[in-house]
């Protein structure tokens, strides 16, 4: 199911770490490789002052799949750039699963968004930030990590 796992560490210190599982091959449309994605998310995680170790899944999917998930979980029958599915822990393992991000590289390209901003946007949702509930809190966090979405 999971063809690739990547541990990302910040500098020479190991306390800040995110384990990223890529569920599917990264589409060339993403414009970023695994290491670049890890660096973006690890830096954002650190800039938000997070120090716990988390697992994170990323799935680069086709528009049709993203649309099906969007319809099922948000009752919106159209594709979107990214969906975030926060979690608490892997069942029975005690490992903290931050959640899953489902990305449509095609939608990101069509909307002319920067993939780095889309990933940061998804990360903020996984961390509990919600631009619909609190624009001010979202704005502060987004500014801290340089997210323009």
């Amino acid at each position: 199911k999971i063809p690739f796992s990547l541990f990302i560490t910040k500098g020479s210190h190991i306390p800040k770490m995110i384990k990223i599982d890529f569920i599917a091959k990264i589409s060339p449309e993403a414009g970023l490789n695994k290491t670049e994605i890890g660096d973006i998310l690890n830096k954002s995680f650190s800039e938000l002052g997070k120090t716990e170790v988390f697992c994170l899944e990323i799935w680069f999917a086709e528009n049709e799949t993203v649309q099906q998930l969007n319809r099922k979980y948000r009752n919106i029958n159209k594709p979107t750039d990214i969906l975030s599915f926060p979690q608490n822990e892997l069942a029975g393992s005690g490992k903290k699963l931050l959640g899953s991000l489902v990305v449509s590289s095609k939608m990101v390209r069509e909307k002319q968004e920067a993939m780095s901003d889309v990933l940061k946007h998804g990360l903020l949702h996984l961390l509990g930030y919600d631009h619909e509930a609190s624009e001010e809190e979202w704005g502060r966090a987004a500014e801290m990590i340089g997210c323009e979405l």
Side-chain angles (χ1 to χ4, degrees), residues 7-66:
F7 284 89
I8 298 107
T9 58
K10 178 102 172 134
S12 61
H13 301 86
I14 298 192
K16 297 180 182 176
M17 187 188 312
I18 302 173
K19 179 182 182 285
I20 300 177
D21 290 326
F22 291 87
I23 304 299
K25 184 178 176 184
I26 298 174
S27 163
E29 293 176 331
L32 298 171
N33 64 38
K34 294 169 186 169
T35 301
E36 291 167 328
I37 291 168
D39 289 347
I40 289 164
L41 295 175
N42 188 61
K43 183 175 184 225
S44 298
F45 201 73
S46 177
E47 288 171 341
L48 291 166
K50 304 299 179 186
T51 58
E52 296 180 77
V53 176
F54 285 99
C55 296
L56 170 66
E57 296 178 328
I58 302 176
W59 179 15
F60 287 86
E62 298 296 325
N63 274 354
E64 296 76 23
T65 302
V66 174

Side-chain angles (χ1 to χ4, degrees), residues 5 19 31-32 44-45 48 67-68 85 105 112 128-129 136 140:
S5 296
K19 179 182 182 285
L32 298 171
S44 298
F45 201 73
L48 291 166
Q67 181 171 345
Q68 290 171 358
F85 297 96
S105 298
Q112 298 181 342
Y129 295 95
E136 186 176 321
R140 281 194 304 271

Side-chain angles (χ1 to χ4, degrees), residues 58-141:
I58 302 176
W59 179 15
F60 287 86
E62 298 296 325
N63 274 354
E64 296 76 23
T65 302
V66 174
Q67 181 171 345
Q68 290 171 358
L69 292 169
N70 206 15
R71 180 176 53 246
K72 181 176 181 176
Y73 294 103
R74 298 179 63 222
N75 205 27
I76 299 173
N77 191 20
K78 64 180 184 177
T80 188
D81 50 1
I82 190 164
L83 292 170
S84 303
F85 297 96
Q87 301 290 320
N88 292 322
E89 70 176 54
L90 295 168
S93 72
K95 293 182 182 177
K96 293 185 180 183
L97 175 62
L98 188 58
S100 302
L101 298 176
V102 182
V103 182
S104 168
S105 298
K106 185 175 181 180
M107 282 302 299
V108 172
R109 190 184 73 240
E110 286 176 13
K111 293 170 79 174
Q112 298 181 342
E113 296 169 329
M115 182 61 74
S116 59
D117 283 331
V118 171
L119 293 168
K120 291 174 187 179
H121 184 102
L123 179 65
L124 288 174
H125 279 298
L126 293 180
L127 291 171
Y129 295 95
D130 185 348
H131 47 82
E132 293 177 9
S134 175
E135 287 184 36
E136 186 176 321
E137 186 179 14
W138 176 276
R140 281 194 304 271

